[in-house]
Amino acid sequence: MLDVLVFGPHPDDAELGAGGAIAKAVAEGLKVGIIDLTAGEMGTLGTKEIRLKEAESASKILGVKFRENLGLPDGYIGLDISQEDIFAVAKKIRQYQPKIVLAPYWDDRHPDHAASSEIITKAAHYAKLKKFNLEHPQHKIQQLIYYELNGQFTPSYIIDVSDFFEQKKEAIMSHKSQFKEFSKEYLPFPLVERCAYYGSLINASYGEAFMVKGSLKVDKWEVIINK
Ligand SMILES: [Zn+2]
């Protein structure tokens, strides 16, 4: 059983949106895996082979248990979501039985990112329905959590990634074919500024924003009171 399963549309998206939180989860002893939906073969820069190698070195930096590529058609998932796409993700959720699934936020100008969000959201639903035959026994995740790529939201919570920001930057810069004109100091989006902004909201150097649909439940006061 896995603690956190992170889905990314392209081979660099998991680290762009949640690299700090992933490294932090690993440091806390959680079992984390990443599954990229596409190999990014339609991207202007890099080839499928180069991008898979870059994703492999990035995941070593983050320390995740595994990283897989689902091989869905890059570029085309943004045009048309198929039942096969949804079931391919649902099968992975059932196979790895994660407690938490991370997915990109649905409101994103890149059609692949928006489509991936929808695919993963629907997959989490079908993964729990017993009568759908998806190779593995049904599995209900505890929480589906969205991370930011191009779009922004009002966060449900911000994870303090100050101690893991270097790791995040290194993981991103492993994708050399994508970020030739960038450096650790000048990342795309602009990511450093965004994480510094979220950090400033929680009195930390750097933060990453996450959102859940609906409200977060608090069972016990000890969740919100530091002892
Ligand atoms: Zn992407």
Side-chain angles (χ1 to χ4, degrees):
M1 198 188 245
L2 205 63
D3 292 304
V4 185
L5 182 55
V6 187
F7 286 101
H10 305 112
D12 51 3
D13 287 324
E15 37 276 65
L16 285 166
I22 293 169
K24 185 175 178 126
V26 170
E28 288 178 13
L30 298 179
K31 290 193 196 102
V32 186
I34 300 175
I35 298 179
D36 303 313
L37 265 50
T38 77
E41 68 273 13
M42 298 301 279
T44 311
L45 302 166
T47 63
K48 185 177 173 178
E49 291 71 27
I50 290 172
R51 299 202 65 177
L52 290 175
K53 266 188 198 156
E54 290 171 347
E56 190 55 43
S57 24
S59 46
K60 276 188 191 128
I61 292 167
L62 295 173
V64 294
K65 289 268 173 222
F66 65 87
R67 187 171 201 156
E68 290 182 15
N69 197 287
L70 214 48
L72 300 186
D74 183 27
Y76 292 91
I77 55 167
L79 290 165
D80 185 23
I81 294 173
S82 71
Q83 180 183 306
E84 287 73 33
D85 297 338
I86 296 165
F87 283 0
V89 174
K91 284 175 190 170
K92 287 294 168 189
I93 293 173
R94 286 189 175 191
Q95 181 184 344
Y96 289 111
Q97 302 179 30
K99 291 175 185 159
I100 301 291
V101 164
L102 292 192
Y105 177 46
W106 59 87
D107 189 1
D108 193 298
R109 62 179 154 77
H110 195 313
D112 283 355
H113 294 178
S116 297
S117 187
E118 187 181 339
I119 289 169
I120 299 154
T121 303
K122 286 182 173 169
H125 175 76
Y126 289 103
K128 69 184 175 196
L129 298 182
K130 192 180 174 183
K131 289 185 178 171
F132 280 87
N133 182 16
L134 296 167
E135 289 177 18
H136 310 277
Q138 87 248 43
H139 177 69
K140 187 177 186 299
I141 62 169
Q142 288 175 15
Q143 190 76 261
L144 176 58
I145 302 174
Y146 297 93
Y147 61 84
E148 289 185 347
L149 289 172
N150 298 304
Q152 277 192 286
F153 47 64
T154 302
S156 302
Y157 47 87
I158 295 167
I159 297 184
D160 179 355
V161 297
S162 308
D163 294 341
F164 303 92
F165 200 59
E166 273 307 306
Q167 242 172 300
K168 176 187 173 89
K169 289 198 283 185
E170 272 174 39
I172 291 170
M173 291 312 293
S174 300
H175 298 274
K176 292 191 187 81
S177 69
Q178 304 303 300
F179 303 121
K180 271 184 190 134
E181 72 272 39
F182 296 97
S183 67
K184 278 209 287 180
E185 288 66 44
Y186 177 59
L187 290 174
F189 278 175
L191 230 149
V192 175
E193 289 80 355
R194 193 188 285 193
C195 292
Y197 166 68
Y198 283 128
S200 75
L201 300 181
I202 55 166
N203 203 19
S205 299
Y206 295 104
E208 284 174 344
F210 296 90
M211 192 185 72
V212 297
K213 281 184 183 171
S215 301
L216 286 163
K217 181 174 120 185
V218 172
D219 285 326
K220 290 181 180 171
W221 273 95
E222 66 186 27
V223 177
I224 35 181
I225 298 180
N226 288 324
K227 281 182 182 162

